[in-house]
Amino acid sequence: MKKPNLTSNDIAKHLGVSQSMVSRAFNPKASISDEKRTYILEGAATLGYKPNALARSLISNRSGLIAIALDSSANPMYDLQARILASEIQANGGQAILCPISNGDLDSAIQRAFEYQVDGLIIATSRLSSNVIEQCEQYGVCLSFINRYIDGFRANSVGLDNDDAGNQAADYFFKKGCSSFAFVGSEGGSMTCELRWNAFHRRTIELGLAEPMRISASFDIDSGMQAAEKLINSRHKVDAVFCANDIIGIGFIEGLKVHNQGGYKIIGVDDIPMASWPSYQLSTIKPPTEIICKSAVEDLFGRINGNNEQTGHYILFKGTLVERAS
């Protein structure tokens, strides 16, 4: 015979506390002493009580659900971001819903999130359309960006300082005695890529060097390999290559191996696990991913809880150059 479901009122009555105190005990962010929280959680566990998230959402008019929209590509960086974001969302009393973007269709991914009546949305992709902004405003969904910013919208963005990343790459190459630079990344559509290119280009000129070569490539290993072939077949005498991310950088190294070429200094961005593999040893600019994700989640929950005073800010964190054999 199935046991009747206990309510928070039942637990409160049994433990001699108020129902509101029981609710606060199960909310990691609620104000309650550690002693009281432990007493209630242990007592509830003994009685076999499990909080009903659906009932709580009906009472508070909030689902507690936060959608994470990010590219469903082969880049391990997105997997790392998703895990950290989900953990931070749970630490703030919410529950994450992952909405992978297939074939660049962000609108469909967001629409699926809205079907669950999410309280907030974190967009961790360079892809964005005006339709998404309109949908968020229409449904009253709070929004936070990672590595993306839109002027005039009621949201903040948290991410890597891409200007600093571009400057670090150019300065590193110059310090190593390199004199002819190239950049490999997408042309148009990616805000982070453009910011890295612009800073790298500007800093290269400031160092008194010739304008860097730019090679177009998508964010995948095959494109990195093709970029290496383009450079080898060109008449440019390049000795240093800044890749927009590690996946491109790893592909570029593979492309050099195929053509039995070497002699280039190469830097990527992200510090994904593959970058440190013995077969690559890719130098890279490591972003403080945990800090970025934590800041984005805190910003979003602050917005959900009514703190909408600060909007339109780009909250930047500098990366750390990790030097390896490349």
Side-chain angles (χ1 to χ4, degrees), residues 59-72:
I59 295 171
S60 65
N61 201 30
R62 290 182 182 174
S63 66
L65 300 176
I66 304 297
I68 304 170
L70 74 173
D71 286 296
S72 55

Side-chain angles (χ1 to χ4, degrees), residues 4-26:
N5 291 327
L6 293 171
T7 68
S8 58
N9 284 322
D10 296 328
I11 300 304
K13 183 177 180 181
H14 185 88
L15 298 178
V17 298
S18 66
Q19 187 275 335
S20 62
M21 184 172 288
V22 173
S23 296
R24 292 201 302 275
F26 282 91

